[in-house]
Amino acid sequence: MSHMDHLEVVGKSILKKESPDKATGRAKYTGDYTESGLLHAAMVTSSYAHANILNIDTSAAWQVKGVRTILTGEDSHVLTGEEIRDRPIIAKDRVRFFGETVAVVVADTEAAAKQAAYSMIVQYEPLQVVNSPTQAIRKGAPLVHPNLGQYKAADGVNPIPGTNVASLIKIRKGQMEKGWSDSEVVIENTVSFAPSDHAAMETRSAVAEIRPDGHIVIETSSQAPFAVKKYMGLYFNIEPGWIIVKTPFVGGGYGGKAAIQLEPIAYLASKAVGGRKVKIINTREEDMVTSPGHIGLEARVKLGSTSKGEITAAEIIYWFDGGAYNDKSSDVARAAAADCTGPYAINNLYCDCMTIYTNHPYASAYRGYGHAELTFAIERAMDALAEKLGMDPLELRTMNIVTPGDTSPTRNMLNSSNLGDLRECMRRLRNLSGWDEWKVKQVDANKVRSKGISCGWKNSSMDPNASSGAIVSFNPDGSLNLECGVVEIGTGTKTVLAQILAERMKLDPSQIHVKFTIDTAITPEHWKTVASRGTFMGGRAVLKAADDAIRQLLDIAGCVLRVDPEDLEVGWGKVFVRSDPAVHVDFKDICYGYTYPNGNSIGGQIIGRGHYIQRQMTYLNPETGEVGPEWNVSAQAVEIELDISDYNYKILKAISVIDAGKVLNPKGAEGQVMGAMSMGLSFGNRETFIFNDQGIVLNPTLRDYPLIRYGENPEYIVKFIENPCLEAPFGARALGEHGLIGMPAALASALSRAAGVHLNHLPLFPERIWRTKMRVPYDTV
Amino acid sequence: MRDGAHVVKIELYVNREGRSVVARPADTLLHILREELGLTGAKPGCNNGDCGACTVVMDGWPMKSCIMLAVEAAGRQVTTIEGLRDTPIQRAFAEKWAFQCGYCTPGFIMNCHALIQNRPDATDEIITDWLQSNICRCTGYKEISEAVKSVLVTGKDTL
Ligand code: FES
Ligand code: FES
């Protein structure tokens, strides 16, 4: 018997189970499926950001050969939205952002559908445009949703009818008067950035069909197939059992594919053609503006501290630019509000967090869920405070960070399990970045190098009743199938879950067969593949399923070996007597039932099931808060080289130190963090929608919306510390988003130091640095 | 009324096999590979030449199949990811963790494959020059760099 100790599988860089499929082009994504008889849908989208629809002339479109149906806003009266039911599936009477779906054509071929869509003539009456949160909250601003008071809103969402405020969340703690009177130094800092995009390489797509028996089958490139099932049921008043959602591999999500948007369009289209299968696939331009993107922000942070640097008071106002429809933006804002101070212990706190309607493309979840955004606001203020105090910015942070015994902004008690060890992360960062050696230095006549730092924390911020389930079933050879609802969006989570299962069963991971495709008819529910929660929740469910299977194995082995199951153990494909391992029975002889020599048989296929629901989660109280369950932390740094002759700069190095709790798969974890860092740097350095004064997005293509490419990446340094979260499988904390969270702030910090100005507006185009330096006003685009 | 129904017959050589297809003159090579030949390894990421997800190898050189018409490919040797079997670059991508979601991967691998064939001694500058035509949104490019360098002659000793 080989000796496989505990934690033999977990903690190893086991190659991803999907690697052979992905390296050969065999991996199938939603858009890859085709079949004869499939119909294709194409959209007509709005060319205005805010306008009344006067008329849609479909006559030329109907002339195109192969057109089967044309849908407009008149064809559905359903309003959708997870937080506020404010969004028609197809715009009705009015468009509220550039790119909004105005009509949908269904035809025999993609070419015909597109040609018909191009032939459609839509007449608009332009309306005054709300082009930023500042404009939205001005007195007399046009209302994006005059009927806001009539919409249904979920618990915890607080719209203010008659305004453009989709939701207001207030966080209050301590006594502000005392906080301000204790303070000797006060700073105020404002930051902003416009909405941008997730830009996953796979554009979103969906296929819908209504079967003769009434089942609605939707295939979709979604991070949230179970939410699609739930909300489709809700929107169309269908019992969820009649809705089957399937999701194969997903080509990148980053939060953007957790939104429900193309699925209802595909369903309406299929319904209009008698239930035939209809496929819709976003063009890149549609994926960028028609489907939801990344939220924008304007924020003002006022901090008060003693002359020694102890922060005594904070007043924080966030105006999130959620765009034309609420989708998840008020929930992103809720998450930001709950962690509004960043990872600092501030006892006197006043925070108003608003989600604002504008005539911009609307926002859904985005990697970090409000945290990169709040971190940018807080960390820029921390730098301003350090400067005013004449303190080392790292010292100021270290002095104020949250530690066990502090309370969160929403007054949750923090301890070493529910809070990562930020002090240790910072200590490591200090060494790795060589912080004490230099912070800014002249390299030659024109080149200046500098470093910037940032600290971050994040709560998972999931719905209180989010759950996850897993089924493990045996094959006759004693190997196991693992089925769970985590979507494989590139995080490698299913491989990690296989490792967790292998660890518990003490099996080689090659003995675990993972099913990738989600089919909500049989796959146990996993709420959504978001919030870096797949490993935690899926892992807990898998452990429970493993234990369930083990119990069944022991029961039947107890009969076969005529011993008390209590005296048995599993491992290496066998069940054996703990005190005498030579007495054993192989999995393969019992996992499909056991047959005695005379033919008598007992048992049957062993199927283990497990589920997990987060404990002690509550709705956020709008006045005081309350959230859970745990906060994960990171400390990050960026080193840049700025050319002061033209303000071009290079990002030389980016460092992340993250409290991972326990690293389950080192290569996978490192890759997740580097990818997130790349995305965060891209967001800080170059990504934004460019709006003209009419709210039109001028750059909805990958040519004009440049992403970081090969060779533009810095050197990455990723380090983990392992301070376990006691509730997580093997102590593993979330880490898929933390690499992103501090990057924009650290980049701005480094560039501000090099340029000798305060850079508070993203993205940090060289031109923006030059304008700030030269005091040339920037257009508020 | 235009109905786009005018079609032509084209002889393609894809992955060393002759294939006859019927296409509209306006159909891109990417569209025909995917919809007519079922070779869905090449991906649409932008249909605009910006992302490289659709990259195939054409007579030995990388080509974005979304900005080439199928009719232009007639008589030329097209290799898609499905035409590669257990090549060093495919193994390197898996072993170096050079992908996450995998959507950009076929395009990257085809580009790298052509690079390795054409410039086995490529320097960092040349590698960057070639690979900048593709976008990966998931990784930070470090693993892709390690993968391609592990196969190139020049990179072998430095890793
Ligand atoms: S799909 Fe061809 S370059 Fe993007
Ligand atoms: S692996 Fe997802 S885009 Fe490259």
PDB file of all heavy atoms in Angstrom, chain A residues 256-274:
ATOM      1  N   GLY A 256     -19.125  39.724 -15.879  1.00  0.00           N
ATOM      2  CA  GLY A 256     -20.007  40.201 -16.947  1.00  0.00           C
ATOM      3  C   GLY A 256     -21.018  39.177 -17.416  1.00  0.00           C
ATOM      4  O   GLY A 256     -22.092  39.518 -17.902  1.00  0.00           O
ATOM      5  N   LYS A 257     -20.667  37.901 -17.268  1.00  0.00           N
ATOM      6  CA  LYS A 257     -21.579  36.866 -17.735  1.00  0.00           C
ATOM      7  C   LYS A 257     -22.455  36.330 -16.604  1.00  0.00           C
ATOM      8  O   LYS A 257     -23.083  35.287 -16.740  1.00  0.00           O
ATOM      9  CB  LYS A 257     -20.798  35.757 -18.445  1.00  0.00           C
ATOM     10  CG  LYS A 257     -20.283  36.224 -19.803  1.00  0.00           C
ATOM     11  CD  LYS A 257     -19.424  35.195 -20.488  1.00  0.00           C
ATOM     12  CE  LYS A 257     -18.916  35.744 -21.828  1.00  0.00           C
ATOM     13  NZ  LYS A 257     -17.731  35.024 -22.313  1.00  0.00           N
ATOM     14  N   ALA A 258     -22.472  37.054 -15.486  1.00  0.00           N
ATOM     15  CA  ALA A 258     -23.416  36.703 -14.432  1.00  0.00           C
ATOM     16  C   ALA A 258     -24.735  37.423 -14.661  1.00  0.00           C
ATOM     17  O   ALA A 258     -25.717  37.177 -13.962  1.00  0.00           O
ATOM     18  CB  ALA A 258     -22.840  37.061 -13.066  1.00  0.00           C
ATOM     19  N   ALA A 259     -24.768  38.332 -15.626  1.00  0.00           N
ATOM     20  CA  ALA A 259     -25.993  39.085 -15.904  1.00  0.00           C
ATOM     21  C   ALA A 259     -26.882  38.291 -16.852  1.00  0.00           C
ATOM     22  O   ALA A 259     -26.405  37.491 -17.650  1.00  0.00           O
ATOM     23  CB  ALA A 259     -25.636  40.430 -16.517  1.00  0.00           C
ATOM     24  N   ILE A 260     -28.180  38.532 -16.729  1.00  0.00           N
ATOM     25  CA  ILE A 260     -29.143  37.851 -17.596  1.00  0.00           C
ATOM     26  C   ILE A 260     -29.619  38.847 -18.633  1.00  0.00           C
ATOM     27  O   ILE A 260     -30.201  39.874 -18.273  1.00  0.00           O
ATOM     28  CB  ILE A 260     -30.313  37.315 -16.763  1.00  0.00           C
ATOM     29  CG1 ILE A 260     -29.769  36.277 -15.766  1.00  0.00           C
ATOM     30  CG2 ILE A 260     -31.398  36.714 -17.657  1.00  0.00           C
ATOM     31  CD1 ILE A 260     -30.686  36.018 -14.611  1.00  0.00           C
ATOM     32  N   GLN A 261     -29.325  38.596 -19.886  1.00  0.00           N
ATOM     33  CA  GLN A 261     -29.641  39.609 -20.883  1.00  0.00           C
ATOM     34  C   GLN A 261     -29.999  39.003 -22.245  1.00  0.00           C
ATOM     35  O   GLN A 261     -31.064  39.268 -22.779  1.00  0.00           O
ATOM     36  CB  GLN A 261     -28.449  40.579 -21.015  1.00  0.00           C
ATOM     37  CG  GLN A 261     -28.655  41.665 -22.034  1.00  0.00           C
ATOM     38  CD  GLN A 261     -27.674  41.542 -23.179  1.00  0.00           C
ATOM     39  OE1 GLN A 261     -26.643  40.898 -23.068  1.00  0.00           O
ATOM     40  NE2 GLN A 261     -28.002  42.150 -24.316  1.00  0.00           N
ATOM     41  N   LEU A 262     -29.100  38.161 -22.788  1.00  0.00           N
ATOM     42  CA  LEU A 262     -29.421  37.584 -24.100  1.00  0.00           C
ATOM     43  C   LEU A 262     -30.445  36.459 -23.979  1.00  0.00           C
ATOM     44  O   LEU A 262     -31.188  36.193 -24.916  1.00  0.00           O
ATOM     45  CB  LEU A 262     -28.158  37.036 -24.764  1.00  0.00           C
ATOM     46  CG  LEU A 262     -27.204  38.041 -25.399  1.00  0.00           C
ATOM     47  CD1 LEU A 262     -26.042  37.297 -26.049  1.00  0.00           C
ATOM     48  CD2 LEU A 262     -27.918  38.913 -26.440  1.00  0.00           C
ATOM     49  N   GLU A 263     -30.480  35.811 -22.819  1.00  0.00           N
ATOM     50  CA  GLU A 263     -31.351  34.642 -22.657  1.00  0.00           C
ATOM     51  C   GLU A 263     -32.821  34.985 -22.890  1.00  0.00           C
ATOM     52  O   GLU A 263     -33.519  34.274 -23.638  1.00  0.00           O
ATOM     53  CB  GLU A 263     -31.150  34.003 -21.284  1.00  0.00           C
ATOM     54  CG  GLU A 263     -29.736  33.459 -21.042  1.00  0.00           C
ATOM     55  CD  GLU A 263     -28.748  34.485 -20.489  1.00  0.00           C
ATOM     56  OE1 GLU A 263     -29.098  35.685 -20.450  1.00  0.00           O
ATOM     57  OE2 GLU A 263     -27.637  34.100 -20.110  1.00  0.00           O
ATOM     58  N   PRO A 264     -33.346  36.058 -22.273  1.00  0.00           N
ATOM     59  CA  PRO A 264     -34.752  36.393 -22.542  1.00  0.00           C
ATOM     60  C   PRO A 264     -35.001  36.784 -23.999  1.00  0.00           C
ATOM     61  O   PRO A 264     -36.085  36.515 -24.525  1.00  0.00           O
ATOM     62  CB  PRO A 264     -35.038  37.584 -21.615  1.00  0.00           C
ATOM     63  CG  PRO A 264     -33.902  37.697 -20.672  1.00  0.00           C
ATOM     64  CD  PRO A 264     -32.759  36.903 -21.217  1.00  0.00           C
ATOM     65  N   ILE A 265     -33.995  37.384 -24.633  1.00  0.00           N
ATOM     66  CA  ILE A 265     -34.173  37.732 -26.054  1.00  0.00           C
ATOM     67  C   ILE A 265     -34.303  36.451 -26.873  1.00  0.00           C
ATOM     68  O   ILE A 265     -35.199  36.306 -27.714  1.00  0.00           O
ATOM     69  CB  ILE A 265     -32.981  38.583 -26.562  1.00  0.00           C
ATOM     70  CG1 ILE A 265     -32.951  39.946 -25.862  1.00  0.00           C
ATOM     71  CG2 ILE A 265     -33.047  38.741 -28.082  1.00  0.00           C
ATOM     72  CD1 ILE A 265     -31.774  40.834 -26.270  1.00  0.00           C
ATOM     73  N   ALA A 266     -33.404  35.496 -26.611  1.00  0.00           N
ATOM     74  CA  ALA A 266     -33.443  34.232 -27.352  1.00  0.00           C
ATOM     75  C   ALA A 266     -34.770  33.513 -27.104  1.00  0.00           C
ATOM     76  O   ALA A 266     -35.364  32.929 -28.023  1.00  0.00           O
ATOM     77  CB  ALA A 266     -32.265  33.351 -26.940  1.00  0.00           C
ATOM     78  N   TYR A 267     -35.243  33.579 -25.870  1.00  0.00           N
ATOM     79  CA  TYR A 267     -36.512  32.915 -25.535  1.00  0.00           C
ATOM     80  C   TYR A 267     -37.680  33.554 -26.287  1.00  0.00           C
ATOM     81  O   TYR A 267     -38.503  32.858 -26.902  1.00  0.00           O
ATOM     82  CB  TYR A 267     -36.739  32.974 -24.019  1.00  0.00           C
ATOM     83  CG  TYR A 267     -38.144  32.612 -23.600  1.00  0.00           C
ATOM     84  CD1 TYR A 267     -38.615  31.311 -23.746  1.00  0.00           C
ATOM     85  CD2 TYR A 267     -39.004  33.581 -23.098  1.00  0.00           C
ATOM     86  CE1 TYR A 267     -39.916  30.977 -23.379  1.00  0.00           C
ATOM     87  CE2 TYR A 267     -40.303  33.258 -22.727  1.00  0.00           C
ATOM     88  CZ  TYR A 267     -40.760  31.954 -22.876  1.00  0.00           C
ATOM     89  OH  TYR A 267     -42.044  31.637 -22.516  1.00  0.00           O
ATOM     90  N   LEU A 268     -37.737  34.892 -26.263  1.00  0.00           N
ATOM     91  CA  LEU A 268     -38.824  35.577 -26.989  1.00  0.00           C
ATOM     92  C   LEU A 268     -38.771  35.238 -28.473  1.00  0.00           C
ATOM     93  O   LEU A 268     -39.793  35.040 -29.123  1.00  0.00           O
ATOM     94  CB  LEU A 268     -38.712  37.100 -26.824  1.00  0.00           C
ATOM     95  CG  LEU A 268     -39.052  37.707 -25.463  1.00  0.00           C
ATOM     96  CD1 LEU A 268     -38.881  39.220 -25.521  1.00  0.00           C
ATOM     97  CD2 LEU A 268     -40.484  37.347 -25.046  1.00  0.00           C
ATOM     98  N   ALA A 269     -37.540  35.172 -28.988  1.00  0.00           N
ATOM     99  CA  ALA A 269     -37.372  34.878 -30.420  1.00  0.00           C
ATOM    100  C   ALA A 269     -37.875  33.478 -30.730  1.00  0.00           C
ATOM    101  O   ALA A 269     -38.607  33.258 -31.701  1.00  0.00           O
ATOM    102  CB  ALA A 269     -35.905  35.028 -30.801  1.00  0.00           C
ATOM    103  N   SER A 270     -37.510  32.517 -29.881  1.00  0.00           N
ATOM    104  CA  SER A 270     -37.940  31.145 -30.118  1.00  0.00           C
ATOM    105  C   SER A 270     -39.468  31.031 -30.024  1.00  0.00           C
ATOM    106  O   SER A 270     -40.122  30.366 -30.841  1.00  0.00           O
ATOM    107  CB  SER A 270     -37.272  30.215 -29.101  1.00  0.00           C
ATOM    108  OG  SER A 270     -37.798  28.917 -29.207  1.00  0.00           O
ATOM    109  N   LYS A 271     -40.009  31.719 -29.040  1.00  0.00           N
ATOM    110  CA  LYS A 271     -41.457  31.687 -28.844  1.00  0.00           C
ATOM    111  C   LYS A 271     -42.189  32.226 -30.080  1.00  0.00           C
ATOM    112  O   LYS A 271     -43.236  31.716 -30.479  1.00  0.00           O
ATOM    113  CB  LYS A 271     -41.790  32.546 -27.624  1.00  0.00           C
ATOM    114  CG  LYS A 271     -43.101  32.215 -26.987  1.00  0.00           C
ATOM    115  CD  LYS A 271     -43.240  32.934 -25.665  1.00  0.00           C
ATOM    116  CE  LYS A 271     -44.698  32.935 -25.263  1.00  0.00           C
ATOM    117  NZ  LYS A 271     -44.967  33.879 -24.195  1.00  0.00           N
ATOM    118  N   ALA A 272     -41.586  33.240 -30.694  1.00  0.00           N
ATOM    119  CA  ALA A 272     -42.224  33.871 -31.852  1.00  0.00           C
ATOM    120  C   ALA A 272     -42.162  33.001 -33.103  1.00  0.00           C
ATOM    121  O   ALA A 272     -42.855  33.269 -34.082  1.00  0.00           O
ATOM    122  CB  ALA A 272     -41.567  35.223 -32.115  1.00  0.00           C
ATOM    123  N   VAL A 273     -41.309  31.981 -33.100  1.00  0.00           N
ATOM    124  CA  VAL A 273     -41.230  31.097 -34.271  1.00  0.00           C
ATOM    125  C   VAL A 273     -41.656  29.674 -33.892  1.00  0.00           C
ATOM    126  O   VAL A 273     -41.100  28.688 -34.376  1.00  0.00           O
ATOM    127  CB  VAL A 273     -39.817  31.098 -34.911  1.00  0.00           C
ATOM    128  CG1 VAL A 273     -39.526  32.450 -35.545  1.00  0.00           C
ATOM    129  CG2 VAL A 273     -38.730  30.752 -33.884  1.00  0.00           C
ATOM    130  N   GLY A 274     -42.596  29.590 -32.998  1.00  0.00           N
ATOM    131  CA  GLY A 274     -43.175  28.287 -32.655  1.00  0.00           C
ATOM    132  C   GLY A 274     -42.261  27.384 -31.868  1.00  0.00           C
ATOM    133  O   GLY A 274     -42.398  26.162 -31.907  1.00  0.00           O
TER     134      GLY A 274
END
